[in-house]
Amino acid sequence: MKKISLLLIICFIINIITVFSLNKDLNRLVIICVSVLIYAALYIILLKIHKKTNQINNIIFFTFLIIITAQGIISFNYKNTVSSGENRVLALLPSVNPFHENFAKKMDAYINDRIGLRGEAIKIYSSIPYMNDYNIQNKVLKGVDGWLYLNDGNNYLYYQGVKKYNKEKLEEVRNSIEKNIEFCEKNNISLITIIPPDKATIYPEYYNKYIKKLSGKENYIILKEYIEKTFKDKKIIVPYNELTKAKENLLYFVKDSHWNSYGAYTAYKLLESSIKEIYPSYKTIDADEIIKCDRSDYTHNDLEKMLGIINITSNTVQDICPKEKGILDLRYENAHQTIWWKKSYGGDNAPKILLIHDSFMVELAPFIEKGASQIGSIWTYGNDFNSLSDIILSFKPDLIIWERVERLWFE
């Protein structure tokens, strides 16, 4: 029993150190008090077990079981709403009604996302070579030459072609687009849609070498051909050919799931042409306003963060920048705000543009800004303008640019 008591004391000390490093002020005091109560209860339980039986196996089993449970409770993340390590929003506490049909599922997600020491467990898991290189259940897949790829929702099955566009899936795409076209026509708003390809679509050569593609057309090509056939007279940009031809320049970040400014600018040139067809006076960005420059990729590492890498390194990559400061700011000023709008650079007669988009707009928006009188943003992963009608109609845009990345269409 002395050895078990010593083990409890060591675990308690480690727990207190963890509490001090992860919490502040009142939170720290409350959790220390809870820790004392839990460890005291644990000691009493083990003492009773020891008096009833001398079987050391039972005592060790219950010791570790209760220690693990105690750590999960004591370090439970009840406060934060976002995981910076996994780069995502954490599940929220569900309704208190246990008879609600989704209560069990939502409570399970809540506990899984916030259980104590989850972040530390992810870092340990990610440090094991097998888990990083071969495990297809990871949210991030390691490619060759240091490239990383998003695998949230088992994207590898989509990449392989196991998950394939069929008639029903393509009908869903058509319905989604038609619904939003109808909304815009009803409210006298022009619409341009752009579908950025996934990183794996443009750079399959660096994908995980253990995952092989099935024969047949790639999903993005199927989507592209279907849209071009179904919406011939609508402005929908699917920039596969232009991006594959521009690969002499790096178009996507190596350790991030997004395109860089080079990739965004390549797609923007198509977008620019479509805008000018509707608004001939739209101010475009000429090639002589853009120059090549060196840029740190330190802030573009969402996949490294999801792997739980602690010491993220910064690399200098070649990208594009404005020739003269003040002409164009290649930073998305309000990247973490869901809704915003502001006066832009195009003058009073320029179109008022509303961007409805996901995270791929971060690198694209600054190019669009120059020719707009005002520019607004709604960051959403939804696909129904009717659910945003109050916001859209309050902004009263002349033009909506709807950007939605490839993988979201299939999902």
Side-chain angles (χ1 to χ4, degrees):
M1 192 63 193
K2 288 182 179 179
K3 292 180 180 179
I4 297 297
S5 300
L6 181 60
L7 177 62
L8 280 178
I9 292 169
I10 292 171
C11 289
F12 179 73
I13 292 170
I14 293 171
N15 186 88
I16 295 301
I17 293 171
T18 304
V19 167
F20 265 87
S21 63
L22 297 179
N23 297 276
K24 294 181 179 180
D25 306 327
L26 185 59
N27 284 341
R28 182 184 289 170
L29 178 62
V30 170
I31 295 175
I32 288 174
C33 292
V34 172
S35 300
V36 172
L37 291 173
I38 289 176
Y39 276 93
L42 172 59
Y43 183 78
I44 292 169
I45 291 169
L46 292 175
L47 197 60
K48 288 185 177 181
I49 293 173
H50 179 68
K51 286 180 179 179
K52 289 184 178 180
T53 175
N54 285 322
Q55 292 182 14
I56 191 66
N57 289 341
N58 287 345
I59 296 174
I60 291 174
F61 170 77
F62 281 107
T63 300
F64 279 99
L65 178 65
I66 298 173
I67 285 173
I68 291 169
T69 304
Q71 290 297 331
I73 295 170
I74 292 166
S75 303
F76 194 82
N77 177 16
Y78 66 91
K79 189 174 182 181
N80 296 336
T81 57
V82 176
S83 169
S84 57
E86 295 178 77
N87 195 32
R88 67 181 181 88
V89 177
L90 299 176
L92 299 175
L93 182 66
S95 163
V96 293
N97 179 9
F99 300 105
H100 189 277
E101 75 178 303
N102 292 323
F103 177 82
K105 184 178 179 180
K106 290 182 178 180
M107 181 58 78
D108 180 58
Y110 177 75
I111 293 171
N112 283 339
D113 275 8
R114 297 166 182 274
I115 193 73
L117 305 181
R118 172 186 168 88
E120 286 70 18
I122 289 173
K123 289 171 186 175
I124 293 170
Y125 177 86
S126 301
S127 68
I128 303 172
Y130 172 82
M131 300 303 183
N132 271 319
D133 296 339
Y134 306 106
N135 192 344
I136 56 177
Q137 299 305 317
N138 285 342
K139 288 189 176 180
V140 178
L141 285 176
K142 275 194 171 183
V144 298
D145 296 338
W147 281 63
L148 300 177
Y149 290 85
L150 183 66
N151 191 41
D152 194 11
N154 289 335
N155 294 75
Y156 81 94
L157 293 173
Y158 175 88
Y159 167 82
Q160 272 189 309
V162 174
K163 290 183 177 180
K164 205 85 169 178
Y165 271 110
N166 53 28
K167 185 178 178 181
E168 289 73 24
K169 279 284 184 186
L170 291 171
E171 281 293 306
E172 289 176 14
V173 170
R174 183 180 64 80
N175 290 336
S176 177
I177 294 173
E178 284 184 345
K179 213 166 24 175
N180 289 338
I181 289 173
E182 184 181 338
F183 174 89
C184 288
E185 289 177 347
K186 179 182 174 183
N187 293 287
N188 197 28
I189 302 170
S190 300
L191 173 65
I192 301 174
T193 303
I194 181 167
I195 305 174
D198 291 342
K199 181 178 174 180
T201 299
I202 301 300
Y203 287 102
E205 62 269 32
Y206 297 110
Y207 204 73
N208 188 293
K209 61 184 178 181
Y210 300 102
I211 298 174
K212 305 300 180 185
K213 282 187 177 183
L214 302 179
S215 60
K217 286 184 181 178
E218 294 180 16
N219 276 308
Y220 192 69
I221 300 301
I222 295 172
L223 178 64
K224 178 178 184 293
E225 291 177 351
Y226 177 78
I227 285 175
E228 288 173 349
K229 180 181 177 181
T230 309
F231 298 98
K232 289 180 181 178
D233 59 339
K234 302 300 178 183
K235 296 190 181 303
I236 302 177
I237 298 167
V238 191
Y240 177 79
N241 296 337
E242 292 72 18
L243 287 166
T244 52
K245 287 176 184 175
K247 283 174 66 175
E248 68 272 9
N249 301 304
L250 184 67
L251 304 175
Y252 285 66
F253 292 106
V254 173
K255 299 181 187 300
D256 193 280
S257 59
H258 301 91
W259 57 17
N260 58 19
S261 292
Y262 239 126
Y265 182 70
T266 304
Y268 162 75
K269 296 307 290 180
L270 292 171
L271 186 61
E272 180 185 82
S273 299
S274 292
I275 297 173
K276 279 192 74 67
E277 287 178 14
I278 307 171
Y279 301 99
S281 62
Y282 176 78
K283 292 181 181 178
T284 60
I285 296 171
D286 299 326
D288 59 2
E289 293 182 72
I290 300 294
I291 59 171
K292 291 183 178 181
C293 63
D294 291 332
R295 179 181 178 187
S296 170
D297 67 351
Y298 182 74
T299 57
H300 300 279
N301 45 32
D302 64 344
L303 299 177
E304 276 191 314
K305 289 179 181 177
M306 290 171 72
L307 277 175
I309 295 173
I310 303 171
N311 298 315
I312 294 174
T313 57
S314 173
N315 298 303
T316 299
V317 295
Q318 192 174 80
D319 210 336
I320 52 177
C321 299
K323 189 174 182 180
E324 297 179 34
K325 290 184 177 179
I327 292 180
L328 179 69
D329 185 356
L330 290 178
R331 289 188 302 276
Y332 194 59
E333 295 178 2
N334 304 73
H336 300 291
Q337 292 185 23
T338 306
I339 303 165
W340 60 267
W341 49 72
K342 65 174 187 177
K343 191 172 179 63
S344 198
Y345 312 116
D348 293 338
N349 295 324
K352 196 174 180 182
I353 298 176
L354 176 62
L355 311 174
I356 299 179
H357 62 91
D358 55 47
S359 54
F360 267 68
M361 184 56 76
V362 170
E363 297 291 331
L364 184 59
F367 297 111
I368 300 168
E369 252 192 276
K370 184 184 176 185
S373 60
Q374 292 185 57
I375 191 159
S377 161
I378 302 175
W379 189 317
T380 175
Y381 295 97
N383 63 348
D384 185 2
F385 290 2
N386 288 291
S387 65
L388 305 168
S389 60
D390 289 347
I391 304 169
I392 294 171
L393 298 179
S394 67
F395 183 62
K396 298 178 182 177
D398 300 308
L399 169 66
I400 288 176
I401 297 176
W402 181 26
E403 176 276 311
R404 184 173 170 84
V405 71
E406 174 189 352
R407 60 180 173 270
L408 295 182
W409 290 93
F410 193 87
E411 293 168 6

